[in-house]
Amino acid sequence: MASHRNDSYLKRKMSTTFSHGGIDMKLKLGTPNQYLVLSRCTATRPQVPDMPEAIQYCSATTEGTTPLLTVRVASTSIADGLPIVGLGALISGDVTVMIQKDHKFKDITVRLRGALVNPQTNKSYFLDLGHSLVPQWSGLVSMYKAGRHILPFRIPIPQTCNMLYPESALPPTFYSRGQPVTIRYDVTARIKKPGLWADEQATLQILYLPRTRPVDTVPLDSLDFGFCRYQLQQASEMLTWAQCSKQFSAAIDGQKTVIFDSSFCLANAPVYARGIFVSYTLSLECWDAPALDRIGTPQAVSVSIVRQITVDTPGGFSGIGTSTGKPEKVTNMVGVGRHWIEPVGDQFPKRVLRGEVSLGKDLQPHFHFPPLSVIYGVVVQLRAEGFAITNKADDYLFAMPIGITTDLPRKVTRAA
């Protein structure tokens, strides 16, 4: 994919969540070890300039003022009318000043800033790069003649923050419906006037989106996420299964306890391109045929994709000082799998369900940033009348952290 032009990613009114208020699930997602595993399975692609004829301009201006100030940014990728820039990109554009008579200005600057924004609190800036567009020899005040003045600029995007979290990689732009905390980047042009005259400025929002994709070959023999461990089994050149097995006991109608052996396999884990279908299988074994019939049905098995957002800032999500001092997490369901019973021949005590789950094209990428992080997970649950797992504290049977990358596949395909 050459760019994100006309992509459905990052729409201002997003609808990626099926559950807007969050779901109550004790899911162990978002640990440093999990992000480390996902980072080893994610490839980052530097931005490569496209052909010159593909360049488009986005602009912002001060309306109804004199002088008229306009800032433009060139981009080969546009989403929702805003320019998209990636890792290693060079933000290029120009500042136009249109004045009807001669004016004196102290300076004309352009500034790139990145901030964590909460409507209830001030912005917390983690990136701040300023550039003067006035020649250094011009002195304290420069005289600009009436007419149009066009001042070009170029701002290289660094790989890490230069404020608050200097060792952290720049996070991608983030905003989602129902979540007040956002990550925003702006390019601001400012005219600094002498004396007590008020400055004028024009601000253009940009979308910072480091391009990522799953690695071609996972450099691990197993996926150890702390609370779960999945073994990787190469099935073919294009297919690898991540498998986890466990034994559990369950009470049936409160009268008897039955032992089950279970196994869950996920295709090509743990990092996926958005916009694909991911295959899975769930195997259940039990010598109690009625008990196996009760939970070994598509109606009793739930496989879902969840997204967990973690905020670790004063005030938490609300930003009004009600935080407990601990990171706050909100988990939403963003995908539901569909599955069916797979024939297993004469293996009477075994039931196998095979299915697939869709990863929507509008899912935002996973990332880890000290005050705000996003991670995804696959969750398997069993629910049937008169059935209750007795030997576990978690409200799920299997769970696996997964990552979502920015790049779409060449075409929407199934992962297995």
Side-chain angles (χ1 to χ4, degrees), residues 191-263:
I191 296 178
K192 297 182 178 180
K193 298 181 180 181
L196 300 178
W197 293 97
D199 295 345
E200 295 187 24
Q201 70 177 37
T203 298
L204 174 65
Q205 182 183 356
I206 66 172
L207 306 177
Y208 177 63
L209 180 61
R211 294 184 58 184
T212 55
R213 61 174 179 81
V215 294
D216 296 329
T217 303
V218 175
L220 301 168
D221 296 326
S222 63
L223 304 175
D224 187 355
F225 293 110
F227 71 96
C228 64
R229 184 184 183 92
Y230 284 77
Q231 296 296 325
L232 297 179
Q233 300 177 357
Q234 190 77 31
S236 67
E237 184 179 353
M238 301 296 294
L239 174 62
T240 300
W241 289 103
Q243 181 177 7
C244 183
S245 300
K246 66 170 57 176
Q247 187 178 83
F248 65 94
S249 61
I252 307 298
D253 295 328
Q255 299 177 356
K256 62 179 179 178
T257 300
V258 180
I259 303 299
F260 291 86
D261 290 305
S262 61
S263 176

Side-chain angles (χ1 to χ4, degrees), residues 7 107 148 196 203 230 324 403 408:
D7 198 349
D107 201 356
R148 181 191 301 269
L196 300 178
T203 298
Y230 284 77
T324 61
L408 288 167

Side-chain angles (χ1 to χ4, degrees), residues 155-176:
I155 305 176
I157 297 182
Q159 295 189 8
T160 58
C161 307
N162 66 353
M163 300 176 63
L164 294 182
Y165 315 100
E167 302 300 324
S168 297
L170 289 181
T173 297
F174 175 80
Y175 46 86
S176 181

